[in-house]
Amino acid sequence: GLPGSGKSTIGRQLARHWGLEFVDSDQVLESRLGCCIKDFFASQGEVAFRDAEAQVLAELAQSDKVGILSTGGGAVMRPENRAVLHPNTTVFYLQSSPEDIARRLRNDTNRPLLQGDDPLKRLRDLLAVRAPLYEETAHFVIDTVRCSTAQVVRKVTMQAELAGVVPLPAGAAPSAS
């Protein structure tokens, strides 16, 4: 999903819920780059950042040590990232509205693509370009508009359990709805 759609927050909660290892590709990138993404972006540019991101995603998507992987919102921009994520992972697209994200991130200064005079317009522009790519990459689309973190976690959990992506809790049976 878009920057600020809750990928890392939801991913951490799901990993805790399912007892899986959580990995945030942006944190791995920062560790490898030796600086924060915002600084790397400013000094090296978006193309260099996307090159480094693609390398990290290729490794993480094929690692059997990663249970839940949160990617950056722009990861889908590169065809090679979509090609490695879709067949090697189960992708949940957290579909948020630009308005909800802009409201949530109004004081955030760490997201390079959302800096400037009109972050809402930037989010709308990003969504126009990225939504088809998110949908192409995703196995499941989860609507997060006006949902709490707990509600989104429940939606993803229910979908993953029904699809057999994670085991059902002991004694539980899939719902027949």
Side-chain angles (χ1 to χ4, degrees), residues 28-175:
V28 172
L29 263 167
E30 287 183 340
S31 173
R32 292 202 186 163
L33 297 172
C35 64
C36 70
I37 289 171
K38 180 181 175 182
D39 291 346
F40 187 84
F41 224 86
S43 67
Q44 304 297 313
E46 185 172 1
V47 172
F49 170 75
R50 295 293 175 208
D51 289 343
E53 178 182 54
Q55 203 170 29
V56 165
L57 286 175
E59 293 171 29
L60 294 174
Q62 298 192 33
S63 170
D64 58 359
K65 294 180 182 177
V66 177
I68 304 285
L69 173 62
S70 173
T71 67
V76 297
M77 296 302 293
R78 292 264 177 107
E80 64 265 32
N81 294 344
R82 296 190 306 274
V84 77
L85 288 170
H86 188 82
N88 295 299
T89 67
T90 301
V91 180
F92 289 85
Y93 164 27
L94 301 182
Q95 187 178 50
S96 301
S97 75
E99 293 76 16
D100 282 352
I101 293 171
R103 186 175 50 257
R104 243 182 307 181
L105 299 180
R106 66 184 167 273
N107 298 317
D108 188 317
T109 59
N110 292 320
R111 298 171 197 267
L113 290 177
L114 298 183
Q115 304 312 304
D117 294 335
D118 194 349
L120 178 57
K121 180 186 180 326
R122 181 69 176 137
L123 284 164
R124 286 178 178 148
D125 292 346
L126 287 173
L127 184 61
V129 171
R130 294 179 181 178
L133 303 175
Y134 291 144
E135 291 169 8
E136 172 190 327
T137 309
H139 296 89
F140 303 99
V141 177
I142 305 296
D143 180 4
T144 68
V145 175
R146 290 184 286 288
C147 290
S148 68
T149 298
Q151 289 170 320
V152 176
V153 167
R154 278 194 299 274
K155 284 182 175 188
V156 173
T157 298
M158 184 172 43
Q159 187 63 63
E161 289 173 351
L162 289 172
V165 176
V166 295
L168 289 169
S175 71

